[in-house]
Amino acid sequence: MSNLQWSAWVKRLDLAPFRPRLIRDLQGYDRHRFVQDVGAGLTAGIVALPLAMAFAIASGVKPEVGLVTAIIAGFLTSALGGSSVQIGGPAGAFIVIVYGIVERYGLANLLISTVLAGGLLFLLGLFRLGVLVRYIPVSIVIGFTNGIAVLIALSQLKDLLGLSDVHMPADFVGQVSTIASHWQQFNPYALGLGLLTLVGLVVWPRLLLVTRRIRPLQLISHIPGTIVVLVTLSVLATLLALPVATIGSKFGGIPQSLPHWAWPAFTWDGVRQLFIPTVTIALLGAVESLLCARVADNIADLPRHDPNQELMAQGVANMVVPFFGGIPATGTIARTVTNVRAGATSPVAGIVHAVTLLLCVLVAAPLAAHVPLPALSGILLFVAWNMGEWREFVKLRQFNFTYRTILLGTFFLTVVFDLTVAVEVGLVLSCVFFIYRMSTLFRVEPLASINPAVPQELATQVQVFRLYGALFFGAVGKVEELSDELMATTRVVVLEMQRLIAIDTSGLDALLQLRRALERKDVRLVLCEVNDQAVSLIRRAGHGDTFGAANMVSDLPTAMNRARQLLHQG
């Protein structure tokens, strides 16, 4: 296919152009911005190092898998994405999903699901469907985000308590039962390290307020709290020879080498059973990446992101990462915010972040063997706490019944069942409540018989009703009931439709049903001030002659004249 033919197809299908933000941001790029981006990228890379390992371990895979994902997905997301500052990589929101897929389908099928999800994400962006993700109600987003935060925290209790020989199932009830039956076997040293991690992460930002005011200590203020706590506790655990599990004791350390290309085992039977995991990864990846990009837009004084380009970049990243053994990736809020606050001005910072992680693997991988798993659990507990929007539960009383039902329903379904069920039920509830709300906004009001618009001689034989709102499938009952509410002397019904915003095919069918019901009573129907959308639907459905051109008039006085004609005709 030639370039001209491809361009014609793109124009015909209205496909989104593939235009990475990096190309635009490099125009007019200078040394000052490069220095800022390098500093921001180094900071984001250091922050990402412990998080990538922690997310991988919590997801049921080896720590190097998280690093590989952060390196490759981080590079591709920044190089091809639609945001100037977004950082891609393994995310806390995926922990529960990935752990469940690995437990149920195995690692090989997780890689296949990730590739398929990447393809789906790319198509969502290509066909300009990125905007649809924004239609997910905020109550659903808050509900499943808080639910995932609870599940992340629950999954970390095993390592926090030092229950290294205990297998944690993927479901909520199983995890609670496992912890409840083994908690007496907890390791006090592991619990102590985990709690020290939490204390350190809470206290460090407050110490930074002091160090920033002392010039000799200003350099310390640039060190992320996660690195400070992780290094300090790793040294402490090693020097004291504490009996706690480490990355080295459980996983044998991290390979000091570049990731290798590998082809996942692929079978058609395997693909068929992976439909739900694929959709789950794609849906969560799309929501998380676009939410993260919107957060970045709000705090960075830079051009707003392109949602379709961002989804295409996330799609490419998720299609490539599994071939190097990586797990699903998306936009990450903590690392992106760090990147912005460190002064990032372009996707170059995200690329530097990926290079920083790669250098850490090549140079300092052996040191990771000494990292205690309880410290990583403490970091993830801190992430889970910051991830949840807990104040929304306190403010629930300020919102209506619909909002509370959807948020709490999504939250409990996420915790007890899974994210897919929670989002599906949440969307269904949102649609049902929306339909109900819209149906209550539609009104049919009779025009008073003493109204000057209705001549006195017609008042007993002509009834005028005004339609307000949208006449759609959820509101048709109010129109169908009109024939039962007429006065016994009524011979003509006029529907004044000036305030009718829109009508769908169910609404049109309701008008047809009303017309037939009136004919059986020897009553005629006149439509007045029908808007263009309704006229177009009536004609396209082939019912222009059914109502009759003479019975579709432009204003109320003309409708009264038509009513006189119909009364004279008998």
Side-chain angles (χ1 to χ4, degrees):
M1 181 181 292
S2 67
N3 289 335
L4 290 177
Q5 290 175 319
W6 173 250
S7 298
W9 269 104
V10 169
K11 185 175 181 180
R12 185 178 304 173
L13 296 174
D14 193 28
L15 301 179
F18 192 83
R19 296 174 183 168
R21 180 60 59 87
L22 177 64
I23 297 175
R24 191 178 79 174
D25 282 356
L26 287 180
Q27 297 175 4
Y29 198 68
D30 55 27
R31 180 177 176 276
H32 175 70
R33 291 180 61 192
F34 177 72
V35 171
Q36 281 188 279
D37 285 338
V38 169
L42 287 171
T43 304
I46 293 172
V47 170
L49 181 64
L51 293 178
M53 294 189 294
F55 290 154
I57 294 171
S59 300
V61 297
K62 295 181 178 180
E64 60 264 28
V65 172
L67 292 173
V68 167
T69 304
I71 293 168
I72 298 176
F75 177 84
L76 292 174
T77 298
S78 296
L80 305 177
S83 170
S84 297
V85 293
Q86 174 143 273
I87 301 293
F94 273 129
I95 289 176
V96 179
I97 304 301
V98 173
Y99 189 87
I101 294 175
V102 171
E103 283 286 302
R104 187 173 303 174
Y105 302 101
L107 180 59
N109 284 326
L110 168 66
L111 301 181
I112 295 172
S113 292
T114 305
V115 173
L116 297 176
L120 184 55
L121 281 167
F122 186 87
L123 292 176
L124 287 175
L126 183 64
F127 287 97
R128 299 180 182 273
L129 298 178
V131 67
L132 295 182
V133 177
R134 297 180 180 178
Y135 295 159
I136 298 178
V138 66
S139 53
I140 293 180
V141 175
I142 293 173
F144 78 66
T145 301
N146 287 5
I148 289 173
V150 169
L151 291 175
I152 291 174
L154 180 63
S155 69
Q156 295 311 298
L157 293 182
K158 170 178 171 284
D159 287 331
L160 182 72
L161 297 174
L163 307 177
S164 56
D165 298 327
V166 175
H167 174 72
M168 286 285 281
D171 63 290
F172 170 77
V173 176
Q175 289 182 346
V176 172
S177 300
T178 301
I179 295 297
S181 59
H182 293 87
W183 72 270
Q184 294 178 339
Q185 305 171 16
F186 82 96
N187 181 342
Y189 296 101
L191 180 60
L193 282 177
L195 294 178
L196 281 175
T197 302
L198 287 171
V199 172
L201 292 174
V202 172
V203 172
W204 182 251
R206 291 165 173 76
L207 292 178
L208 293 183
L209 297 176
V210 177
T211 58
R212 287 196 182 103
R213 298 171 185 171
I214 305 174
R215 181 165 295 181
L217 300 179
Q218 285 181 353
L219 183 61
I220 299 177
S221 66
H222 296 289
I223 304 176
T226 51
I227 293 296
V228 173
V229 171
L230 204 61
V231 171
T232 302
L233 294 183
S234 296
V235 171
L236 179 66
T238 302
L239 292 178
L240 298 180
L242 298 180
V244 296
T246 64
I247 289 179
S249 66
K250 185 170 183 178
F251 302 102
I254 294 176
Q256 194 174 5
S257 61
L258 294 171
H260 300 287
W261 174 277
W263 188 266
F266 181 88
T267 62
W268 175 243
D269 289 336
V271 170
R272 287 191 301 175
Q273 67 176 343
L274 296 176
F275 175 77
I276 292 180
T278 296
V279 173
T280 302
I281 293 172
L283 176 64
L284 185 57
V287 172
E288 285 291 312
S289 64
L290 296 185
L291 282 177
C292 179
R294 290 176 67 182
V295 170
D297 288 342
N298 292 333
I299 63 176
D301 188 19
L302 295 168
R304 300 189 68 82
H305 74 283
D306 178 352
N308 297 312
Q309 182 63 41
E310 189 61 34
L311 288 184
M312 286 191 282
Q314 297 290 344
V316 172
N318 281 283
M319 284 190 286
V320 172
V321 161
F323 292 102
F324 294 91
I327 56 178
T330 185
T332 57
I333 293 179
R335 279 156 277 176
T336 298
V337 171
T338 300
N339 190 39
V340 174
R341 290 177 177 169
T345 67
S346 76
V348 172
I351 295 174
V352 172
H353 138 272
V355 174
T356 301
L357 286 172
L358 179 60
L359 292 176
C360 289
V361 171
L362 295 178
V363 176
L367 299 177
H370 302 289
V371 174
L373 296 185
L376 291 178
S377 294
I379 290 174
L380 285 183
L381 285 171
F382 187 74
V383 169
W385 174 257
N386 289 325
M387 179 181 177
E389 298 185 47
W390 313 112
R391 293 181 180 178
E392 294 298 321
F393 288 137
V394 179
K395 296 190 298 183
L396 277 179
R397 67 180 68 181
Q398 302 174 13
F399 296 97
N400 58 27
F401 173 79
T402 299
Y403 183 89
R404 294 197 298 267
T405 301
I406 295 173
L407 192 153
L408 293 176
T410 305
F411 171 76
F412 285 114
L413 288 172
T414 300
V415 172
V416 178
F417 293 98
D418 60 55
L419 176 66
T420 306
V421 172
V423 173
E424 288 173 351
V425 173
L427 287 174
V428 169
L429 286 175
S430 297
C431 292
V432 169
F433 284 128
F434 176 76
I435 291 168
Y436 172 76
R437 176 59 177 162
M438 291 299 295
S439 68
T440 60
L441 296 178
F442 175 77
R443 307 194 314 275
V444 179
E445 295 184 356
L447 197 67
S449 58
I450 59 172
N451 194 291
V454 181
Q456 193 63 36
E457 71 273 14
L458 301 178
T460 58
Q461 294 179 291
V462 178
Q463 277 191 267
V464 181
F465 295 91
R466 281 179 172 167
L467 307 187
Y468 297 82
L471 179 54
F472 70 113
F473 63 90
V476 294
K478 296 179 181 180
V479 171
E480 293 171 346
E481 296 169 355
L482 277 182
S483 61
D484 299 326
E485 300 174 0
L486 301 179
M487 298 184 300
T489 57
T490 300
R491 290 294 171 262
V492 178
V493 170
V494 177
L495 295 183
E496 200 248 31
M497 303 169 66
Q498 180 185 15
R499 297 166 182 80
L500 186 69
I501 300 172
I503 181 173
D504 68 357
T505 52
S506 296
L508 174 58
D509 184 68
L511 290 179
L512 293 171
Q513 295 288 350
L514 174 63
R515 179 182 174 279
R516 284 190 282 270
L518 293 177
E519 280 187 341
R520 288 193 292 268
K521 295 182 176 183
D522 196 26
V523 178
R524 299 294 181 263
L525 177 64
V526 176
L527 305 182
C528 171
E529 298 190 57
V530 187
N531 64 34
D532 293 339
Q533 186 268 335
V535 171
S536 175
L537 178 61
I538 290 171
R539 289 175 178 171
R540 284 185 284 113
H543 291 296
D545 294 335
T546 304
F547 290 102
N551 294 326
M552 297 174 61
V553 298
S554 59
D555 52 41
L556 201 53
T558 307
M560 294 299 103
N561 291 333
R562 178 57 181 165
R564 288 191 184 92
Q565 295 174 7
L566 293 173
L567 290 173
H568 289 319
Q569 293 173 6

